[in-house]
Amino acid sequence: MSIKIEDILSAQQIIKGVADNTPFIPSPYMTKYAGQEFLMKMEIMQPIGAFKLRGAMNAVASVPGDAAGVTCCSTGNHGRGVAFAAARLGLRAIVCMSSLVPQAKVEGIKALGAEVRIVGKSQDDALAESRRLVELEGLVEISPFDDPHVIAGQGTIGLEIINVRPDLHRLLVPLSGGGLAAGVAAAAKAVNPKVQVIGITMDRGAAMHHSILAGKPIEVEEVASLADSLGGGIELNNRLSFAMCRDLLDGIVLVSEEEIRDAMQVLYFEDRIIAEGASCVGLAAVLSGKVKAEGSTGTIITGRNLDMNIFTAIMSGQDVLLGERRLKGKLYGA
Ligand SMILES: *Cc1c(COP(=O)(O)O)cnc(C)c1O
């Protein structure tokens, strides 16, 4: 099974007016730096501050009217997307979380209209509760990346990009579970088979990268990263996003925490844009020279839901603690 352009066109109709038409704008600094046009798809302008609303909207809209509601256990952008979409479509949403999730994230999801259920002390406990709601209460679980409607919804980004710039040479797509990269590659390549789509992720805990090398989904150790939205595995029983990323991507490039930090500074100090570390990996790949800009290059500024303490520390050149590791601070331009 794979997602086809027809699925993405149908998603485009379903999410119309709610999660669509973000600008695709040039970065003057990156264009000068790369010597090639460098464009950014501004998904930070979505109502929830991230692209995940596209997939969530399309998936929640497909839930049968007699279902008791929807559930998921993401505390990040997917949880926000599901909460917003369910409220919009008049469905009950229950987001399951462990007691270790920071209160700010709990409040953020509640503010979007979802119920929050706090269970246990790990992500696995939250997942078990979500599965229980599916089995005993008839809720429908929405996967953050391995769901046909979610992938088709994220694919609408690729369609919007390639419709305005059919001549684009290369697209650099932040990569985690691969729903975004799979959908975007399927859409863009259906319109222009020559466009290159490269997945970019952090070099620590790159689950999709190691799974593709191993030839099957594998587990990798999860490590704290500035690109926290790119953390997590791809699920050992992955049905869709693994095979699509393996078959459609022209490559995967890994960037370091230092390179992500530098890219966040460039985006802020040069283009005055505040975005998550996960949003900046495309810039990081070009700034580090790991990807050569050989023609018009695009990336997706995927989300802006970052911890402002971390943001201000990075911009003022302070060290940042990433789990056990201390990432040294650096003043921009120094
Ligand atoms: C989810 C997410 C990604 C990665 O998307 P996948 O479909 O999991 O590969 C990138 N950036 C942000 C901000 C996200 O929330």
Side-chain angles (χ1 to χ4, degrees), residues 43-44 48-52 74 76-78 144-146 150-151 154 173-183 200-201 208 227-234 241 245 275-281 300-305:
E43 288 298 302
I44 54 176
I48 62 153
F51 74 88
K52 289 255 183 10
S74 157
N77 290 324
H78 178 63
F145 53 84
D146 198 33
V150 168
I151 296 176
Q154 322 304 31
V173 184
L175 173 69
S176 175
L180 175 64
I200 319 279
T201 195
M208 183 63 82
D228 55 333
S229 286
L230 301 184
I234 69 161
S241 67
C245 286
E276 291 179 40
S279 296
C280 300
V281 295
I300 305 168
I301 308 298
T302 46
R304 61 168 152 78
N305 296 317

Side-chain angles (χ1 to χ4, degrees), residues 63-69 91 138:
V63 167
D66 59 355
L91 270 171

Side-chain angles (χ1 to χ4, degrees), residues 155-320:
T156 59
I157 299 172
L159 213 52
E160 286 176 16
I161 289 177
I162 211 74
N163 281 342
V164 292
R165 291 303 303 267
D167 60 318
L168 200 71
H169 176 67
R170 193 175 268 165
L171 202 45
L172 309 176
V173 184
L175 173 69
S176 175
L180 175 64
V184 165
K189 288 182 181 228
V191 178
N192 175 8
K194 284 202 288 205
V195 68
Q196 284 186 19
V197 182
I198 300 182
I200 319 279
T201 195
M202 70 281 191
D203 58 10
R204 310 192 307 156
M208 183 63 82
H209 171 67
H210 291 293
S211 296
I212 289 178
L213 286 182
K216 60 172 195 304
I218 57 167
E219 272 187 85
V220 293
E221 199 197 334
E222 199 172 333
V223 219
S225 168
L226 282 181
D228 55 333
S229 286
L230 301 184
I234 69 161
E235 287 182 18
L236 292 180
N237 59 351
N238 188 297
R239 297 174 302 151
L240 283 166
S241 67
F242 168 71
M244 287 183 73
C245 286
R246 179 194 61 202
D247 298 346
L248 294 173
L249 294 183
D250 297 286
I252 294 179
V253 168
L254 309 182
V255 290
S256 69
E257 297 301 318
E258 287 79 6
E259 288 162 352
I260 297 171
R261 174 200 63 200
D262 294 352
M264 288 175 78
Q265 289 189 335
V266 163
L267 195 61
Y268 179 64
F269 286 109
E270 302 295 345
D271 290 340
R272 309 289 201 269
I273 292 168
I274 298 177
E276 291 179 40
S279 296
C280 300
V281 295
L283 279 80
V286 171
L287 290 165
S288 64
K290 288 177 175 168
V291 166
K292 298 266 174 294
E294 289 158 352
S296 294
T297 302
T299 193
I300 305 168
I301 308 298
T302 46
R304 61 168 152 78
N305 296 317
L306 77 174
D307 182 329
M308 286 312 280
N309 292 321
I310 293 185
F311 177 79
T312 47
I314 288 174
M315 297 313 153
S316 55
Q318 292 163 39
D319 295 358
V320 174

